[in-house]
Amino acid sequence: MNTQTSTANENPAASNEVVTVREATIDLMRRLGITKIFGNPGSTELPMLRDYPSDFSYVLGLHEAVVVGMADGYAQATGNATLVNLHSAAGVGNAMGNIFTSWKNHTPIIITAGQQARSILPFDPYLGSMQAAELPKPYVKWSIEPARAEDVPLALARAYHVAMQEPRGPVFVSIPVDDWDRPCEHVAVTEVSHRVRPDPVGIDRIGDALDQCGKPAFVVGAAIDQAGAWDEIVQLAERHNARVYVAPMSARCSFPEDHHLFGGFLPPMRERIVQALSGHDFIFVVGAPVFTYHVEGAGPHIPAGAALYQLVDDPSSAALSPTGFSVVGNIALGLADLLARSQRPQRPAPEPRPAAPRAEPEPLMPVAFALQTLAEVRDPSHIVVEEAPSSRRTMQSYLPFTRKNTFITMASGGLGYGMPAAVGVALASPGKKVIGLIGDGSSMYSIQALWSAAQLGLPMTFVILNNGRYEALRDFALHFGFGKEDVVQGTALPDLDFVGLARAMGCGSVRVDRAEHLADALKEALSDDKPNLVEIIVA
């Protein structure tokens, strides 16, 4: 959301009233629409929490990574920045994995961290953070420890706008413990438009090339869903009968996966991307980098004879593009400008993508059957937050997403994001069912999120795919010369009791190890208005 300029009567800054840093900060956040603080506090954060306002809530996580994951999910679901409260150096260090994920997700988060009192910082005090503003770099857009206590509210106001400016992302403000009670003045909330219209000359160049090509392909990424441009990309693809592929490792659903123009998912491998796009003479990458690779490759980045064009909200993605022509700006505005062009080429539609074969039950339940069953019992409006890397390719075949804002995963590849992010999405989405689809190994990075879900009473379901090991790592070992029967050290995960873990943290739970019981167990869980967990034993 864009902030609105307050009038003199509404804006306390107009009166030059002297208040404390804490009072000015609370007032600023209230006017920015941020009345939830996600945190795990320590001693250096306690003064911030004194006289806590009744219209604010504090969302507690039992580990700093959980805190940031919840805030990320909440921000993605609401579209507004969230405020995170962490504890000095150790707390920021614990949170760094999910701060990195928020950076990759382009999620607007304002991270505050406590700092020791200014007067003892020269003595390297206990719980002090030396060079605090440097600690989270390079995975924040902006970082500061204000030079004076009275500058803290102004730093937070700037942090908000930096976080919200595309490409969005986390920012960091270190605040000494004795700053909160210092006198300062209120800070005005300035009005800033956080969207930038792409260069019209560049858009015309893309449009001309699109009009003149013979067989176009679109490659869509997460920024389409983040920018609210779902309808525009569907309309543009239909106008040009373009085959639509999902960019490698995309963290959002940006095109209906049951659409007749949908072509599937590009793998993060150079040669296989070229193979998948072979035959297309125009490749339009929208809202994603060109391209995200996971393993080394060789040769061209696009098929011979094809031209590549890109519309992206991140200048860094444009700068890193190995080929083609890029335009930078807001995705929704850029697509609207392309749609405003009057020419409507007539091309035959590509053949629909073949449907995956139906998965059948077996004595040891296949992942494909489990996800096919989930697809059949869930409503298309249910929101799925996924972190099951070894099952993602299967999910892409058997659990299609057909509506906007119904799928979120991590763009970083780092584990420990999905469970708390699902909690944050559920907290931001009253009246909607949220499903956390998590692997057994992934879940143990942030299992404390179950406690937060239970304490908040959220109507959500965690589905744990339990295959007893880090399956993604075993699959990847083949790339490094392991044989299919070789033992890969550190991948076995025996004796985890997810039903017991969930119950211990206040969530109802059930284990399913037979295919004939799965549909009923999922239906019951999804109809519950309290948080629960379904553990599925899969092959």
Side-chain angles (χ1 to χ4, degrees):
M1 76 175 202
N2 292 334
T3 59
Q4 301 297 316
T5 302
S6 301
T7 65
N9 291 331
E10 296 172 330
N11 191 347
S15 66
N16 294 322
E17 177 188 3
V18 176
V19 293
T20 65
V21 168
R22 180 178 57 257
E23 292 168 335
T25 296
I26 291 295
D27 173 70
L28 171 67
M29 293 301 151
R30 182 181 288 119
R31 287 181 284 130
L32 292 173
I34 302 173
T35 57
K36 282 184 171 59
I37 299 177
F38 294 81
N40 183 278
S43 57
T44 54
E45 292 74 55
L46 290 177
M48 175 188 181
L49 306 179
R50 192 172 62 245
D51 300 324
Y52 202 69
S54 60
D55 59 327
F56 277 58
S57 58
Y58 193 92
V59 184
L60 176 63
L62 300 185
H63 187 276
E64 289 85 354
V66 171
V67 168
V68 175
M70 290 193 299
D72 184 295
Y74 191 87
Q76 291 210 54
T78 63
N80 194 23
T82 51
L83 182 63
V84 169
N85 173 225
L86 300 179
H87 182 43
S88 63
V92 176
N94 285 341
M96 275 306 301
N98 275 342
I99 292 173
F100 171 65
T101 292
S102 296
W103 166 264
K104 288 291 188 179
N105 286 352
H106 291 169
T107 305
I109 299 177
I110 304 168
I111 302 166
T112 64
Q115 172 65 293
Q116 262 291 8
R118 291 178 184 268
S119 63
I120 59 173
L121 284 178
F123 305 103
D124 192 12
Y126 189 68
L127 296 179
S129 180
M130 296 299 100
Q131 300 183 5
E134 299 299 313
L135 179 57
K137 292 181 177 180
Y139 299 119
V140 290
K141 292 182 67 178
W142 185 65
S143 182
I144 191 173
E145 184 173 276
R148 306 181 304 165
E150 53 266 46
D151 297 330
V152 167
L154 189 60
L156 290 168
R158 179 178 176 183
Y160 175 80
H161 291 304
V162 173
M164 291 293 291
Q165 184 66 52
E166 293 179 336
R168 295 177 172 183
V171 293
F172 180 83
V173 182
S174 173
I175 306 174
V177 65
D178 53 340
D179 282 7
W180 292 106
D181 293 319
R182 299 289 178 87
C184 70
E185 295 180 356
H186 283 288
V187 174
V189 178
T190 57
E191 185 176 10
V192 176
S193 174
H194 297 115
R195 303 197 305 173
V196 176
R197 185 173 293 276
D199 172 34
V201 175
I203 290 294
D204 281 342
R205 180 173 167 180
I206 292 175
D208 289 342
L210 178 56
D211 291 343
Q212 296 165 15
C213 73
K215 191 176 180 182
F218 291 0
V219 179
V220 298
I224 288 175
D225 206 30
Q226 291 167 334
W230 173 283
D231 295 335
E232 288 84 351
I233 195 65
V234 172
Q235 186 179 347
L236 189 66
E238 290 175 344
R239 175 179 296 184
H240 291 275
N241 271 332
R243 177 79 81 186
V244 180
Y245 301 88
V246 175
M249 316 307 288
S250 182
R252 301 280 288 258
C253 177
S254 298
F255 195 83
E257 294 170 15
D258 61 347
H259 196 284
H260 70 278
L261 293 174
F262 183 64
F265 300 83
L266 295 182
M269 302 173 64
R270 185 187 305 191
E271 295 88 345
R272 289 182 59 192
I273 290 173
V274 171
Q275 181 183 15
L277 297 177
S278 178
H280 294 286
D281 61 344
F282 175 93
I283 300 167
F284 184 30
V285 181
V286 189
V290 182
F291 289 103
T292 299
Y293 301 129
H294 193 193
V295 295
E296 286 185 286
H301 296 274
I302 59 174
L308 187 142
Y309 294 82
Q310 180 185 31
L311 173 62
V312 67
D313 63 5
D314 185 357
S316 296
S317 293
L320 291 169
S321 297
T323 186
F325 173 74
S326 298
V327 176
V328 178
N330 178 264
I331 303 300
L333 295 178
L335 292 176
D337 288 344
L338 284 171
L339 287 167
R341 297 168 56 90
S342 59
Q343 190 170 353
R344 298 178 61 87
Q346 299 297 315
R347 298 187 183 92
E351 290 295 321
R353 180 189 185 214
R358 184 164 181 81
E360 300 298 336
E362 297 177 13
L364 191 54
M365 205 182 320
V367 172
F369 179 83
L371 295 179
Q372 175 183 275
T373 305
L374 178 60
E376 290 170 349
V377 304
R378 93 180 245 274
D379 188 279
S381 66
H382 291 170
I383 304 169
V384 174
V385 181
E386 176 265 330
E387 191 179 292
S390 64
S391 302
R392 187 168 298 162
R393 281 179 292 179
T394 306
M395 180 192 71
Q396 292 167 348
S397 297
Y398 289 94
L399 182 58
F401 297 94
T402 60
R403 299 188 186 180
K404 55 189 171 185
N405 299 319
T406 57
F407 175 75
I408 293 175
T409 188
M410 78 297 197
S412 66
L415 302 183
Y417 167 80
M419 290 192 84
V423 174
V425 172
L427 185 61
S429 309
K432 296 183 180 180
K433 174 64 70 172
V434 174
I435 302 169
L437 180 61
I438 315 293
D440 53 345
S442 297
S443 69
M444 295 307 297
Y445 284 72
S446 54
I447 198 72
Q448 303 95 325
L450 291 171
W451 181 88
S452 294
Q455 293 299 308
L456 294 166
L458 299 172
M460 60 184 303
T461 296
F462 295 96
V463 176
I464 305 294
L465 299 176
N466 186 352
N467 56 24
R469 59 191 186 185
Y470 289 118
E471 185 65 27
L473 193 58
R474 287 178 58 87
D475 289 345
F476 207 71
L478 300 176
H479 177 74
F480 291 105
F482 286 74
K484 289 186 177 180
E485 304 302 323
D486 289 349
V487 174
V488 181
Q489 298 298 322
T491 58
L493 298 172
D495 304 325
L496 288 173
D497 180 5
F498 291 100
V499 169
L501 286 167
R503 290 175 179 170
M505 296 195 190
C507 293
S509 57
V510 63
R511 179 181 294 111
V512 182
D513 57 8
R514 296 178 61 179
E516 62 266 30
H517 297 159
L518 181 59
D520 287 342
L522 287 172
K523 288 176 184 177
E524 183 176 354
L526 294 175
S527 65
D528 196 352
D529 61 357
K530 299 182 294 296
N532 58 75
L533 180 146
V534 179
E535 178 187 6
I536 307 176
I537 307 300
V538 296

